[in-house]
């Protein structure tokens, strides 16, 4: 059975060339991992591209980070090499700012100067940058992911996660240099970090790895899906253990790395991990959202 699953996965992988895989993201930087060497995608990034370096957010618990890299976070740098994938299948690059010393995951980088729809995903700013966001912009609110251990979050904000809102004012940066705004749905009560938002009406969420709830231990009353709603398109990932429990079946293996449309928000499993049902497997399996990408 395992041989059959691996054979199917191999055939599926060969069906898409690296060029075709990159093309499907158009001008977007891929924000997911779980890729295989030789089939990684870089979206619009190429040798010579100018990027703003960001702190790595964990993928399946792996951040591939060293403290020495902190000094380069928020710096602009020129890509000198497309460096393949790391052990978590995250594509990365080498850059000139550090002399090519470190592997930088592209999922946490921003194209300097901005793509038309690119939201800044880094903090440590001295002056706020908002990309395409301004007063009146409609956004999807996301749960703040910690930056240097600071989430700038109040429990009361959970009620608005995943809600559409209109930006009412640009509020500069918070204590760790994350640009923040106020919105209408909460009466302007809270600061919302733009790095954890999605622009309303975009066909494919961008850079939302940090906005997804990556933890379990939730209850029926506190279940959070972040920006995921029925109809959202996600990239399925292999479940990483939570307290030793993966909630995984061997038959799910062949869908890893496949793009799928969410058909149902399915509550939590026995570990309190929120999950969804998707179209590509006919809704057969429960997919934990902590392990999916965009």
């Amino acid at each position: 059975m395992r041989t059959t699953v691996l054979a199917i996965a191999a055939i599926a992988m060969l069906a898409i060339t690296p060029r075709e895989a990159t093309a499907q993201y158009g001008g977007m930087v891929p924000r997911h991992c779980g890729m295989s060497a030789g089939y990684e995608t870089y979206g619009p990034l190429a040798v010579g591209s100018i990027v703003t370096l960001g702190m790595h957010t964990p993928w399946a618990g792996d951040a591939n980070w060293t403290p020495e890299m902190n000094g380069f976070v928020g710096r602009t740098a020129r890509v000198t090499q497309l460096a393949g994938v790391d052990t978590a299948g995250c594509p990365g690059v080498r850059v000139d700012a550090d002399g090519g010393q470190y592997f930088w995951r592209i999922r946490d980088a921003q194209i300097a100067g901005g793509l038309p729809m690119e939201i800044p995903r880094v903090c440590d700013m001295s002056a706020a940058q908002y990309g395409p966001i301004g007063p009146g912009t409609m956004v999807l609110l996301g749960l703040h992911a910690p930056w240097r251990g600071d989430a700038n979050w109040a429990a009361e904000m959970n009620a608005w996660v995943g809600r559409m809102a209109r930006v009412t004012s640009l509020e500069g940066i918070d204590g760790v240099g994350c640009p923040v705004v106020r919105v209408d749905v909460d009466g302007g009560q809270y600061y919302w970090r733009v790095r954890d938002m999605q622009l309303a009406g975009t066909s494919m969420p961008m850079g939302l790895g940090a906005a997804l709830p990556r933890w379990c231990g939730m209850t029926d009353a506190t279940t959070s899906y972040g920006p995921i709603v029925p109809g959202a398109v996600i990239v399925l990932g292999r479940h990483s253990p939570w307290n030793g429990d993966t909630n995984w079946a061997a038959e799910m293996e062949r869908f890893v790395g496949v793009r799928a449309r969410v058909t149902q928000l399915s509550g939590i499993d026995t570990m309190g991990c929120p999950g969804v049902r998707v179209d590509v497997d006919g809704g057969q399996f429960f997919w934990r959202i902590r392990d999916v990408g965009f």
Side-chain angles (χ1 to χ4, degrees):
M1 182 67 173
R2 179 173 175 80
T3 301
T4 301
V5 170
L6 291 175
I8 292 172
I11 292 170
M13 184 180 293
L14 290 172
I16 301 177
T17 68
R19 181 184 296 274
E20 290 167 340
T22 295
Q24 74 179 338
Y25 292 95
M28 311 303 179
V29 175
R31 303 298 182 181
H32 66 282
C33 298
M35 300 184 195
S36 300
Y39 292 86
E40 65 271 17
T41 65
Y42 296 93
L45 291 183
V47 173
S49 295
I50 305 298
V51 297
T52 302
L53 302 176
M55 181 176 287
H56 293 181
T57 50
W59 183 274
D62 180 344
N64 190 7
W65 189 261
T66 63
E68 293 78 10
M69 298 168 73
N70 288 331
F72 300 98
V73 171
R75 295 266 299 275
T76 56
R78 186 179 301 275
V79 174
T80 57
Q81 178 189 349
L82 303 181
V85 297
D86 61 14
T87 56
C90 303
V93 297
R94 303 281 176 173
V95 299
D96 61 354
D98 62 0
Q101 184 176 6
Y102 301 109
F103 179 99
W104 293 91
R105 288 179 173 174
I106 65 172
R107 70 187 296 259
D108 299 295
Q110 177 196 351
I111 294 182
L115 289 169
M117 301 295 281
E118 191 75 20
I119 293 175
R121 302 296 178 184
V122 299
C123 297
D124 288 334
M125 296 183 186
S126 56
Q129 300 175 30
Y130 298 94
I133 292 178
T137 303
M138 293 299 296
V139 296
L140 186 70
L141 301 177
L143 186 74
H144 293 182
W147 185 273
R148 300 191 186 280
D150 183 334
N152 191 3
W153 189 258
E156 294 77 10
M157 298 168 71
N158 288 327
W160 287 286
V161 172
R163 291 272 299 276
M164 302 297 297
R166 187 180 301 277
V167 174
T168 56
S169 61
L170 306 180
E171 296 290 333
I173 56 176
D174 64 13
V176 289
C178 301
V180 292
V181 300
R182 296 199 188 261
V183 298
D184 59 351
V185 296
D186 64 357
Q189 184 175 7
Y190 299 105
Y191 280 136
W192 293 91
R193 288 179 174 172
V194 303
R195 69 184 296 256
D196 300 296
M197 293 177 171
Q198 175 192 348
L199 286 171
T202 52
S203 59
M204 178 168 54
M206 297 167 291
L208 289 179
L212 277 176
R214 300 293 184 183
W215 70 94
C216 297
M218 299 184 192
T219 66
D220 290 334
T222 62
T223 303
S224 173
Y225 298 92
I228 292 182
V229 296
V233 177
I234 59 176
V235 178
L236 302 177
R238 185 179 294 105
H239 293 182
S240 53
W242 183 272
N243 289 338
D245 183 318
T246 58
N247 190 6
W248 187 257
E251 293 79 8
M252 299 169 70
E253 197 73 29
R254 68 190 181 98
F255 298 104
V256 172
V258 173
R259 291 175 63 78
R261 189 174 300 278
V262 174
T263 57
Q264 178 187 337
L265 304 181
S266 296
I268 56 175
D269 61 15
T270 55
M271 289 290 106
C273 303
V276 296
R277 304 281 175 175
V278 298
D279 59 351
V280 296
D281 64 359
Q284 183 177 8
F285 300 110
F286 179 99
W287 294 92
R288 287 178 173 173
I289 65 171
R290 67 188 298 258
D291 299 295
V292 306
F294 290 105

